[in-house]
Amino acid sequence: MDTAHIPDLITPAIPVFVLTVIAEALWVKKLRAEGGDSVKGHTWKDTVASLSMGLGSVVVGVGWKGVAFAGYAALYHLTPLRMGSGLVAWVLLFFLEDLCYYAFHRVHHESRFFWASHVVHHSSQHYNLSTALRQTWTPMTGWVFWAPLALMGFSPAMIVTQQAVSLLYQYWIHTEAIHRMPRPFEWLFNTPSHHRAHHASNTVYLDTNYAGILIIWDRLFGTFTPEVERPIYGLVKNLTTYNPVRIAFHEYGNIVRDAARPGPLSQRLSYVFRNPAWKPQGALPPEAPPPVEAAHPAP
């Protein structure tokens, strides 16, 4: 597949990513100097790790996006349906693609096999624009969630374009520099406040706020949680490394180790496919996170 003709909105945006990461770091530094202790801020090691993950994701994407596009094209040619490329088709695609993202995101949190790919994005204990760039090097688990769009008659070019629009939207919500958007916006769209809760390891926030652009899916399917207490970013059991290779693949190693434990096949498969927090009956639960303070005030 010739990737030269595949729409690409992400690569041209890379200079904007770099400039806004720098601008945000300077702004957050100013907030902290003014007494904004609730703002986590940045560290060099964490930011470099996030940028390294982002660059690695771009490299992997050079090959994978051609494979994914070819898969959508194959399904598109199998179906007799054609949605066209008019305004109505784009509006419908906007909502359907966002619903596909919700399904993708939810499954990648609630099944450990998929979580092994997505955990990369949650591995930072900081929350800033560089965290948005901390992306997986194993994106292959996501393709199936958008495949129905091709079967419905949306062209592959439209699908990957709308996917890119969603990713670009989600970039700006990875920040502590914005406290709340206007209430109607908060009700309808995913925002920094909603996504801060999603990236937190606090018990109240686990497995919530899976939205891409529209938070209405979480409200409809019962997975919405507002930001009510100060988020503790990262994983329930955090990594102690900034090594990009270990960040990218650590959970796959954990799955192999757990699945190799003595026990029936059902237990081994449960380690692979059930919720990442699943343990056999009688096993000790994970240590609860410490109490937290109230949600940080508006900067």
Side-chain angles (χ1 to χ4, degrees):
M1 170 64 65
D2 180 9
T3 60
H5 302 294
I6 301 175
D8 180 12
L9 303 183
I10 303 300
T11 303
I14 290 177
V16 177
F17 295 157
V18 174
L19 291 175
T20 51
V21 165
I22 295 172
E24 181 202 35
L26 295 174
W27 178 250
V28 168
K29 183 177 181 180
K30 178 178 180 294
L31 291 178
R32 290 177 62 83
E34 294 174 351
D37 294 334
S38 63
V39 178
K40 184 74 172 179
H42 305 64
T43 67
W44 278 108
K45 287 184 177 180
D46 182 79
T47 299
V48 169
S50 293
L51 296 179
S52 298
M53 298 306 302
L55 289 173
S57 178
V58 170
V59 171
V60 172
V62 169
W64 173 246
K65 68 181 181 180
V67 176
F69 193 86
Y72 295 138
L75 295 177
Y76 181 69
H77 288 298
L78 281 175
T79 179
L81 302 176
R82 290 294 181 267
M83 298 301 298
S85 57
L87 178 60
V88 173
W90 278 105
V91 171
L92 185 59
L93 178 62
F94 170 80
F95 285 98
L96 291 176
E97 190 282 330
D98 205 50
L99 180 57
C100 289
Y101 181 86
Y102 173 88
F104 151 84
H105 201 182
R106 183 167 181 173
V107 171
H108 275 69
H109 273 263
E110 298 182 2
S111 171
R112 194 180 183 192
F113 172 78
F114 295 94
W115 173 243
S117 170
H118 187 62
V119 66
V120 169
H121 185 59
H122 287 263
S123 59
S124 174
Q125 296 179 56
H126 296 259
Y127 189 77
N128 49 64
L129 292 177
S130 74
T131 309
L133 306 178
R134 186 179 284 227
Q135 295 292 328
T136 182
W137 292 1
T138 55
M140 302 77 183
T141 57
W143 180 87
V144 67
F145 294 92
W146 284 270
L149 297 178
L151 290 173
M152 292 175 65
F154 290 102
S155 74
M158 290 176 66
I159 294 171
V160 299
T161 298
Q162 188 57 43
Q163 286 176 322
V165 169
S166 178
L167 286 176
L168 289 173
Y169 177 89
Q170 292 177 59
Y171 173 71
W172 75 276
I173 63 177
H174 290 81
T175 187
E176 293 180 293
I178 299 173
H179 177 57
R180 290 280 198 280
M181 300 297 290
R183 184 172 295 180
F185 195 95
E186 291 278 343
W187 193 92
L188 184 60
F189 292 99
N190 200 6
T191 66
S193 176
H194 299 330
H195 208 56
R196 281 194 295 268
H198 174 73
H199 269 258
S201 61
N202 313 48
T203 301
V204 68
Y205 295 139
L206 294 179
D207 297 333
T208 61
N209 297 4
Y210 298 117
I213 297 177
L214 300 173
I215 199 67
I216 58 174
W217 309 119
D218 286 289
R219 297 186 186 277
L220 285 172
F221 297 122
T223 53
F224 174 71
T225 297
E227 184 184 21
V228 292
E229 64 184 36
R230 181 177 176 179
I232 300 176
Y233 304 114
L235 307 172
V236 172
K237 183 178 180 181
N238 283 307
L239 298 178
T240 57
T241 180
Y242 297 102
N243 183 322
V245 175
R246 289 186 61 191
I247 294 172
F249 300 111
H250 73 277
E251 186 62 9
Y252 291 104
N254 292 340
I255 290 175
V256 171
R257 184 196 66 233
D258 287 342
R261 297 176 186 271
L265 178 61
S266 60
Q267 175 179 299
R268 297 171 188 268
L269 292 176
S270 293
Y271 271 124
V272 177
F273 293 107
R274 293 184 67 168
N275 191 285
W278 181 87
K279 294 289 185 292
Q281 188 174 8
L284 293 175
E287 184 178 351
V292 296
E293 306 170 14
H296 59 270

